[in-house]
Amino acid sequence: MEIVGGFMVMMSILGFFLAVIWLIMPFVVFATKGKLDRTLEVLDGLDKRLAGIETQLAALRQMGDKPATGPAATDLPPEEEQQQSLL
């Protein structure tokens, strides 16, 4: 009889844990859905920003391969001058 009593205790503990999980699960699902929706919004924003960067890059490429002029092109540190001379 002790085996049946121990089995019933184990089953009642397992049933209690399953009931707790069953009650908590909807809240977990809804919280995950909210986070997923927020992630989708952020991803859409990143996609729009990337599209803008691609548009700007395409516009710069259409301007042609003009040689770089100005202080940014001529004032290179010595290390970068050596690297460019090797290329």
Side-chain angles (χ1 to χ4, degrees), residues 7-87:
F7 183 72
M8 290 302 293
V9 170
M10 287 188 330
M11 291 306 291
S12 62
I13 291 172
L14 180 64
F16 176 73
F17 285 130
L18 288 176
V20 169
I21 290 172
W22 185 264
L23 292 173
I24 292 175
M25 190 59 66
F27 299 107
V28 171
V29 169
F30 288 130
T32 303
K33 185 181 181 307
K35 290 178 183 177
L36 186 63
D37 290 341
R38 175 69 181 132
T39 302
L40 183 61
E41 291 174 8
V42 170
L43 185 62
D44 287 340
L46 287 173
D47 190 37
K48 289 177 184 176
R49 290 173 61 187
L50 183 60
I53 291 171
E54 288 174 347
T55 304
Q56 290 176 354
L57 184 60
L60 288 174
R61 285 184 180 165
Q62 286 179 355
M63 292 176 71
D65 293 331
K66 297 178 183 175
T69 59
T74 58
D75 297 338
L76 294 176
E79 299 87 24
E80 291 183 22
E81 287 178 6
Q82 291 174 353
Q83 288 178 356
Q84 285 198 355
S85 65
L86 294 175
L87 297 176

